[in-house]
Every structure is written in structure tokens, then in C-alpha cells.
Amino acid sequence: MTVPADTHAKAPPKSFHVKSFGCQMNVYDGERMAELMAAQGMAATTDANAADLVILNTCHIREKATEKVYSDIGRLRKNARLDGRAAPMIAVAGCVAQAEGAEIVERAKVDVVVGPQAYHNLPSLVADAAAGAPALDTDLARLSKFGRLPARRKVGPAAFLTVQEGCDKFCTYCVVPYTRGAEISRPFDALVDEACALVDAGAVEITLLGQNVNAWEDGERGLHDLIRALDRIPGLSRIRYTTSHPNDMREGLIRAHGDVESLMPFLHLPVQAGNDRVLKAMNRSHTADGYLRLLDRIRAVRPDIALSGDFIVGFPGETEAEFADTLRLVDAVGYAQAFSFKYSPRPGTPAADLTDHVAPEVMDDRLQRLQAALNRDQQAFNAATLGRTCTVLVERRGKLPGQMLGKSPWLQSVHLMTDAPIGALVEVELVQAGPNSLAGVKRVRAAA
Ligand code: 5AD
Ligand code: SF4
């Protein structure tokens, strides 16, 4: 659809830059948009300020994330002006595009607005915009984009694969059910084919993505069946998945953690809060204790599993005692890593109507205390892995000559000196732990 505005015809862009904000699914979508534009013959640039077309692949999850897009647009135009260049064509993609639609055209006079389910139409939208009218497509037609994107040709050793999109959980603070729509799973066969294509294109590890990835299903099959099928693909050494909901963590998937060797011992399982009244007000439909019992079952089959979570502090009405329950839950779990946020009211969500706001300085204080506890646990987790020998997937070069960076099975960043190439799996001993990464040394086997 085109919307009237006072823009004029522009030269069709020859180069493009994609900037993705937010979650890993956005990173995946951004990669696919780049492949799509490259397939049209446009050149990818790493410098946003040198591109004819800038695609901002946006995040709507919190207010701060949303506002970033507007400051970025302003900065891009200012830089072009200072350099004496024509302003780039700007396409706003992702969840802000979905949520705000034509408002973005009005507020920021951008050229293209395209939602997360419609980006396969980017080339025609860009052509419309070049012809002089801003173009908008926020159709939520489900899954149609996947069949219309170019095949994957070259990917890094750790690749993403979207298997499921959308969310039916309606946590009261969250915009995702509105921006990404209802839960929907891509079909099993298409996913196995795409996984094989990713391995042919260079992937050694695949992370299965979905807003509720463990709700993936195709008929009778659940996510564990998909994982077991991918485990059989020659050359695919590692499988991960994210993000999961505690209530979709079914027996078959738990069992897979115990016996599928390529399924890495890492699980991102957000809990958000440790107090049952707050969890209920968030519509999480699980209790703190139910979550802890679930973790016990997972640890029973995979004792070394690294756990990760998401937390929100300062949900409306959260008292000090209720927040203390979150700290207690954190102590009980011992997370290997976690993300924590101050509650941010999102227009259109049920929680946005709640009036018993937590004061900003109280939120700041709680976030600080929570992050101190999470950092402490992350360091303790890293320290506990020292002396262990594990396989590191080499993903990129480090800053020092001869240094390479990769990931341990527990998703820790590991740096090591090695001549192993990107994509290699190297046996290393973890010898030193910093705040955000570990040092590993290549294990030299003793001669037999
Ligand atoms: N305010 C703060 N954090 C939020 N999240 C989702 N919605 C909000 C919000 N309105 C957090 C949750 C979720 C993560 C992706 O973002 O912790 O798991
Ligand atoms: Fe948002 Fe809750 Fe769905 Fe996660 S489960 S995407 S937090 S509504």
C-alpha cells in the first residue's frame, strides 16, 4: 500500500545497510533482508553513512528501544547533511514498523515501513518509494515470507533459524503478541531443508529461534522431534534454541537434553519475577516454585546445564518484599547469565492501564541489586568451569594476532591462541575467567 506524502521521486538505491536492534529473531530477519536486497543486485555496505538505503530493523519491546529508531533517523540525515550528501532512503522494518505503521511516516517522513511478516516485499516497496511515494506494508499474513526469500548461500559457523513466530501467552506487560501476532510454527520439512542448506552454507551450529520456540509443533511432532531430526544432519555439531516459556517445557524436550549429544547444555528460560502475586499480575501462568521444580527436572537429566533468564523489576505494584522474592529465586537458581530490565509501560498492553507505578529511583535501586546478584552468579558459574576441558566453536578472529574467539557448550565467550580456522571445533581447557569471557588453551593430547 502507498500512503500519500510530500516526497518526490528519488534515484533507486544502489547500496544498502541493515541495522538490527533487539532480539536474535531481528538479527535473523536482518540477515534475510540483506540477502534479499543483495539478490536484487544492491551492494551491502558496513557503513550506514555511506548507504543509499538504510533499513532500520527495529524493536518495540521497551520504550527506550523504540525511541532509538527516531534518534537514528535524525543522526543519519544530519550526517548526510554534514557530508554534503543526499539523505539516504530510510526503511523502517521490525516491530516498531508493525506497531506504529503510518505514524512513523508522519513523524519521521521515512520512505518505507515494513512489518516483520512482510519484508519479502521490501524490493517492491523500495521501488515504490523511489517512484516518489512512501510505501507501507504491515500485513500479518503468516509465514508467507519464508517461501519468498532467496536461498541461504553463505553463513557464519553459528547460524540462526527461525522455526516459530508469535506468542499467545499475553503476558500483561508485553507487546509481542500484538507486533508478531499469534503463535505459528513453520513446517517440519521446510525446517529440515533449511537446516541442511545452512550446513551446506557453512553452519556448524544452529540456534532455533522463536518467541516461544518450545511451543513449536507440526502435527504430533514437538520441538524435541525437530531437534532429533537435525541431530542426524552430518556436519551439524551443535543445536541450541531460544526463547522458551516454562509452561511449554514438555517431557520430550527435557529428555532430549539428557540424550541428544548435539543439543548444547544451555537453556534460556525467562521467569521475569520470583513472587507469585507479581507473576499472576503479569499473567505468567506459572508460580516461582513451579519454575524451580521444572529446573530440578531439567538438571536431573543434564546436571551441567547453564541456565539463563529474563527479569523485569518494578512491575506496577511490586513491593520491596515481592522484589526480595525475585532475589531469593535468583539465589536458588544460580544463573550462568541473565538479562534484566526496568518495567516499561507499552501502549496497548493490559499492564499499561495499571496505575500503581513503582517510583523510578526504586526501580533503579532494584535493578542495581538484581544485576549485582546476577553478575555474582555469572562469575561463580564461569569460575566453576575453570579446569574443565570442552569444545569451543571458533567463530571469529580476536583483537590480538593469532587470537580467535568462540563459544563453549555453555555459551561462554572463550578466547584462545590457535591457528584453527573459523568454523573449527577445538578442544580447549578453560584456564582463566574474566567478567565477560574466559581464556582457553588448546588441549594437547599426551602421546599414547
Ligand atoms: N518492560 C520491561 N521489560 C520487558 N520485557 C518485555 N516487555 C517488557 C516491558 N514492557 C522483557 C522481558 C522479556 C524480554 C525479551 O524483555 O523480560 O522476556
Ligand atoms: Fe511476551 Fe510473555 Fe509472549 Fe514472552 S511469553 S513474548 S514475555 S507475551
Side-chain angles (χ1 to χ4, degrees):
M1 165 186 146
T2 54
V3 290
D6 55 348
T7 49
H8 304 289
K10 296 184 175 179
K14 293 197 179 69
S15 62
F16 71 95
H17 176 85
V18 182
K19 180 168 177 188
S20 287
F21 303 83
C23 67
Q24 285 160 324
M25 193 173 294
N26 256 16
V27 175
Y28 171 89
D29 287 342
E31 285 169 4
R32 309 257 19 209
M33 287 178 211
E35 289 163 354
L36 180 63
M37 301 319 277
Q40 307 294 311
M42 290 176 62
T45 64
T46 49
D47 179 5
N49 292 311
D52 300 336
L53 165 69
V54 178
I55 301 168
L56 298 171
N57 189 22
T58 60
C59 173
H60 197 55
I61 199 95
R62 286 169 291 275
E63 191 183 357
K64 241 193 193 159
T66 305
E67 286 305 313
K68 260 189 203 149
V69 61
Y70 291 104
S71 53
D72 255 49
I73 293 168
R75 194 165 337 109
L76 284 164
R77 291 187 174 141
K78 186 170 161 214
N79 288 346
R81 222 172 25 248
L82 292 175
D83 290 351
R85 285 183 307 113
M89 182 182 279
I90 291 177
V92 177
C95 290
V96 178
Q98 192 63 40
E100 299 192 355
E103 265 174 58
I104 310 170
V105 178
E106 253 163 54
R107 180 169 161 190
K109 303 273 177 289
V110 299
D111 305 275
V112 173
V113 175
V114 62
Q117 306 302 346
Y119 64 76
H120 54 284
N121 293 327
L122 253 175
S124 64
L125 293 165
V126 167
D128 285 350
L136 183 131
D137 189 344
T138 50
D139 193 5
L140 270 179
R142 316 313 316 278
L143 300 187
S144 54
K145 66 175 181 247
F146 290 107
R148 285 140 86 180
L149 296 168
R152 322 236 33 192
R153 281 202 179 76
K154 193 171 183 310
V155 296
F160 293 133
L161 172 57
T162 291
V163 305
Q164 182 278 343
E165 283 195 79
C167 182
D168 297 336
K169 303 292 188 292
F170 290 93
C171 299
T172 54
Y173 50 80
C174 185
V175 288
V176 167
Y178 312 96
T179 55
R180 292 272 176 171
E183 282 176 13
I184 191 158
S185 298
R186 294 181 64 194
F188 178 88
D189 291 340
L191 293 170
V192 174
D193 286 352
E194 195 172 326
C196 289
L198 284 170
V199 172
D200 288 344
V204 177
E205 170 180 302
I206 293 182
T207 300
L208 308 177
L209 296 180
Q211 266 96 26
N212 268 289
V213 71
N214 58 342
W216 181 88
E217 61 186 8
D218 183 351
E220 296 289 295
R221 293 174 173 130
L223 189 67
H224 57 284
D225 297 306
L226 180 62
I227 288 170
R228 288 182 192 277
L230 301 188
D231 177 59
R232 290 194 288 272
I233 298 176
L236 181 60
S237 302
R238 292 175 154 200
I239 302 169
R240 303 180 185 275
Y241 62 93
T242 196
T243 288
S244 296
H245 191 287
N247 291 7
D248 289 319
M249 207 65 214
R250 286 183 268 275
E251 182 57 32
L253 185 54
I254 295 175
R255 233 178 301 126
H257 275 286
D259 62 17
V260 178
E261 209 187 315
S262 62
L263 183 57
M264 291 292 102
F266 183 93
L267 178 62
H268 181 64
L269 196 64
V271 64
Q272 314 297 352
N275 173 270
D276 289 345
R277 189 206 65 82
V278 175
L279 287 169
K280 193 151 195 276
M282 288 176 163
N283 192 31
R284 288 292 296 179
S285 59
H286 58 76
T287 60
D289 191 51
Y291 178 82
L292 292 174
R293 278 186 281 121
L294 173 61
L295 297 189
D296 286 344
R297 284 168 57 209
I298 300 165
R299 280 181 160 148
V301 298
R302 187 74 214 219
D304 71 332
I305 197 153
L307 294 163
S308 161
D310 288 345
F311 294 89
I312 296 175
V313 301
F315 187 79
E318 184 190 65
T319 64
E320 174 59 29
E322 288 169 344
F323 171 67
D325 285 342
T326 298
L327 293 178
R328 258 191 292 278
L329 179 137
V330 165
D331 286 348
V333 173
Y335 286 94
Q337 56 163 264
F339 303 92
S340 47
F341 313 98
K342 289 186 271 188
Y343 169 71
S344 166
R346 307 307 295 129
T349 60
D353 296 332
L354 300 174
T355 50
D356 40 357
H357 298 294
V358 173
E361 61 278 11
V362 174
M363 278 208 224
D364 285 335
D365 174 64
R366 288 183 190 165
L367 187 67
Q368 248 178 41
R369 285 152 65 203
L370 175 60
Q371 291 186 339
L374 292 168
N375 288 340
R376 174 203 66 201
D377 289 350
Q378 178 170 346
Q379 286 181 26
F381 180 89
N382 288 342
T385 57
L386 290 183
R388 281 201 214 175
T389 296
C390 64
T391 309
V392 167
L393 172 60
V394 176
E395 295 181 19
R396 55 199 167 88
R397 258 167 254 292
K399 284 200 189 98
L400 306 174
Q403 189 188 49
M404 301 299 271
L405 301 179
K407 293 270 164 49
S408 77
W410 307 285
L411 207 67
Q412 297 152 300
S413 294
V414 178
H415 53 90
L416 66 153
M417 304 304 283
T418 177
D419 49 16
I422 289 172
L425 288 159
V426 184
E427 285 273 291
V428 305
E429 184 179 339
L430 301 173
V431 293
Q432 206 187 354
N436 299 311
S437 67
L438 291 100
V441 289
K442 195 167 169 184
R443 185 113 188 256
V444 183
R445 282 177 217 275

